[in-house]
């Protein structure tokens, strides 16, 4: 599948209607999601034929994209039942085979079958301090080989240091910087549109098999 | 939720040491055919906890999986088909997952298990 094709398909997904501020529910735009997953697949071979978990999947954008790129098994996890209903609708609509789980990232563990890759667009931690790093910590425990994640560029040094020193990452690299366009979803957004710069990260883990 | 996902889930209540495998109380099960990918089945087979998988399949009404398995069986087309069906085509849509240690039930609705814990369980 070509990048444009992938972007076209996931731009049809239903996005949040009533986003919840406490969960920092910002949809991952089709532009960013398609590039993230396309790069993970075509440059690093981390999606096709793999077991993939979308952590904090929201309406399921990244998980659906992974499924479209022939991931062998995709699990989407989120704390919010309304988001999971949307994810379910989206995966049925696109005939993407995703299993969904309602759970809390902080206490979620995987048994048995190993997860190869975690893809996520975590909360940036602006409303609930530390939420971004809590997601990353959990992702590094769940994934057996690779984690793809988005973090605010302003936190770059911190993310790198903590991932390498505390979360067991073997490598931590920014693949590219993206402009994240937040349309004025919430009342506290005074401007009509807010652009923030985010980094697309790739973390590799080395675990005994 | 399919049984491959079930094989990856455990009860994470604080203090629980044997939270795997979760029992299944199925009230509605759906079957959706998908294309078989033998390479994936061979890749996943050694990682799967077979006993848990077989017991889970049993609670969804699938009784044709053998008790003892080895990787040579993956060359057998009939076995592959049964394995594929139980692992990836059968969906638990409504019911509950049950912690083997505490009996705590995790409801499954519209195919989505609710694994959220209460405050006193974390």
């Amino acid at each position: 599948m070509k990048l444009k094709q992938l972007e076209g398909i996931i731009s049809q997904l239903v996005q949040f209607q009533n986003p919840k501020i406490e969960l920092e529910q910002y949809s991952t735009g089709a532009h960013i999601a398609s590039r993230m997953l396309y790069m993970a697949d075509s440059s690093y071979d981390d999606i096709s034929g793999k077991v993939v978990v979308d952590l904090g999947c929201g309406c399921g954008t990244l998980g659906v994209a992974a499924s479209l790129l022939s991931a062998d098994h995709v699990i989407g996890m989120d704390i919010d039942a309304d988001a999971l209903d949307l994810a379910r609708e989206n995966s049925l609509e696109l005939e993407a085979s995703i299993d969904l789980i309602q759970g809390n990232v902080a206490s979620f563990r995987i048994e048995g079958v190993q997860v190869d890759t975690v893809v996520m667009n975590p909360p940036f931690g602006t409303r609930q301090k530390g939420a971004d790093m809590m997601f990353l910590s959990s992702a590094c425990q769940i994934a057996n080989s690779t984690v793809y994640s988005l973090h605010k560029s302003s936190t770059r040094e911190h993310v790198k240091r903590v991932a390498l020193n505390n979360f067991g990452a073997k490598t931590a690299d920014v693949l590219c910087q993206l402009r994240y366009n937040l349309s004025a979803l919430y009342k506290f957004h005074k401007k009509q549109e807010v652009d923030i710069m985010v980094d697309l990260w790739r973390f590799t883990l080395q675990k005994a098999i | 939720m399919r049984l491959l996902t079930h094989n990856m889930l455990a009860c994470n209540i604080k203090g629980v040491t044997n939270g795997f495998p979760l029992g299944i109380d199925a009230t509605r099960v759906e079957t959706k055919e998908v294309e078989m990918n033998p390479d994936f089945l061979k890749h996943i087979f050694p990682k799967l906890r077979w006993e848990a998988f077989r017991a889970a399949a049993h609670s969804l009404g699938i009784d044709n999986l053998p008790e003892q398995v080895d990787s040579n069986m993956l060359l057998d087309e009939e076995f592959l088909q049964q394995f594929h069906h139980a692992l990836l085509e059968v969906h638990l849509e409504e019911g509950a997952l049950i912690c083997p240690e505490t009996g705590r039930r995790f409801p499954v609705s519209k195919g989505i298990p609710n694994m959220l814990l209460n405050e006193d369980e974390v």
Side-chain angles (χ1 to χ4, degrees):
Chain A
M1 185 179 292
K2 295 210 169 73
L3 174 61
K4 281 284 162 208
Q5 222 178 333
L6 181 68
E7 184 174 352
I9 297 172
I10 56 181
S11 66
Q12 299 161 23
L13 295 177
V14 182
Q15 306 288 350
F16 291 117
Q17 304 299 313
N18 300 298
K20 290 173 188 151
I21 181 172
E22 69 277 13
L23 296 175
E24 290 191 49
Q25 288 181 333
Y26 302 109
S27 298
T28 316
H31 179 85
I32 288 185
S34 56
R35 272 149 192 82
M36 183 171 175
L37 271 290
Y38 190 80
M39 198 184 284
D41 189 53
S42 61
S43 305
Y44 298 100
D45 197 19
D46 285 327
I47 303 296
S48 169
K50 306 291 182 191
V51 176
V52 177
V53 168
D54 179 355
L55 218 50
C57 65
C59 42
T61 311
L62 297 176
V64 166
S67 175
L68 293 172
L69 290 172
S70 307
D72 263 322
H73 190 57
V74 181
I75 295 178
M77 203 220 62
D78 205 281
I79 197 167
D80 181 38
D82 295 334
L84 288 165
D85 278 343
L86 277 182
R88 186 168 180 273
E89 248 176 69
N90 281 329
S91 67
L92 289 174
E93 184 67 27
L94 293 182
E95 293 179 14
S97 55
I98 301 181
D99 278 2
L100 298 166
I101 298 171
Q102 188 176 6
N104 189 333
V105 170
S107 60
F108 189 67
R109 299 289 170 270
I110 290 279
E111 290 280 321
V113 175
Q114 285 148 356
V115 173
D116 299 300
T117 308
V118 168
V119 293
M120 62 177 183
N121 177 13
F124 292 131
T126 32
R127 305 299 297 183
Q128 196 191 331
K129 205 171 168 2
D132 51 341
M133 297 313 278
M134 192 264 284
F135 265 74
L136 185 58
S137 164
S138 189
C140 289
Q141 286 183 43
I142 290 169
N144 216 56
S145 57
T146 324
V147 174
Y148 290 85
S149 184
L150 296 166
H151 296 273
K152 281 166 92 167
S153 296
S154 58
T155 63
R156 189 178 293 177
E157 291 311 313
H158 178 65
V159 167
K160 183 159 196 140
R161 191 176 61 243
V162 176
L164 293 174
N165 295 345
N166 303 7
F167 297 164
K170 192 172 140 257
T171 63
D173 297 299
V174 174
L175 301 183
C176 61
Q177 194 179 40
L178 298 154
R179 187 179 296 277
Y180 201 104
N181 176 261
L182 300 173
S183 312
L185 281 174
Y186 300 114
K187 286 201 181 102
F188 66 84
H189 287 155
K190 296 204 176 70
K191 291 181 197 160
Q192 204 52 34
E193 295 202 329
V194 187
D195 275 351
I196 56 168
M197 298 310 290
V198 298
D199 294 336
L200 169 55
W201 285 88
R202 179 175 189 265
F203 305 92
T204 61
L205 303 145
Q206 201 170 43
K207 297 188 183 175
I209 296 175
Chain B
M1 184 191 73
R2 290 164 291 176
L3 290 188
L4 176 51
T5 298
H6 171 267
N7 214 267
M8 301 166 76
L9 285 181
C11 170
N12 291 320
I13 293 176
K14 194 182 180 187
V16 168
T17 50
N18 292 306
F20 183 90
L22 295 162
I24 300 178
D25 179 6
T27 50
R28 198 162 68 82
V29 174
E30 262 180 33
T31 302
K32 290 174 206 159
E33 278 185 31
V34 284
E35 204 180 320
M36 182 165 82
N37 176 353
D39 287 339
F40 178 65
L41 294 173
K42 286 167 192 163
H43 165 74
I44 219 79
F45 176 79
K47 301 171 182 170
L48 203 69
R49 302 220 198 156
W50 186 265
E51 206 184 310
F53 172 58
R54 185 169 176 271
H58 179 75
S59 45
L60 300 186
I62 300 167
D63 289 317
N64 59 4
L65 296 172
E67 202 174 330
Q68 298 295 329
V69 282
D70 61 70
S71 52
N72 287 328
M73 295 171 79
L74 294 168
L75 302 169
D76 178 50
E77 183 68 23
E78 193 187 334
F79 172 74
L80 269 188
Q81 195 51 251
Q82 291 167 349
F83 180 33
H84 167 73
H85 175 71
L87 190 72
L88 299 169
E89 291 189 327
V90 181
H91 296 246
L92 173 62
E93 286 294 309
E94 303 289 335
L97 304 177
I98 304 156
C99 170
E101 197 171 303
T102 61
R104 157 77 143 92
R105 293 168 70 89
F106 298 94
V108 178
S109 167
K110 290 185 276 186
I112 305 173
N114 180 351
M115 303 303 293
L116 289 176
L117 301 175
N118 300 325
E119 264 176 41
D120 58 351
E121 293 173 324
V122 256

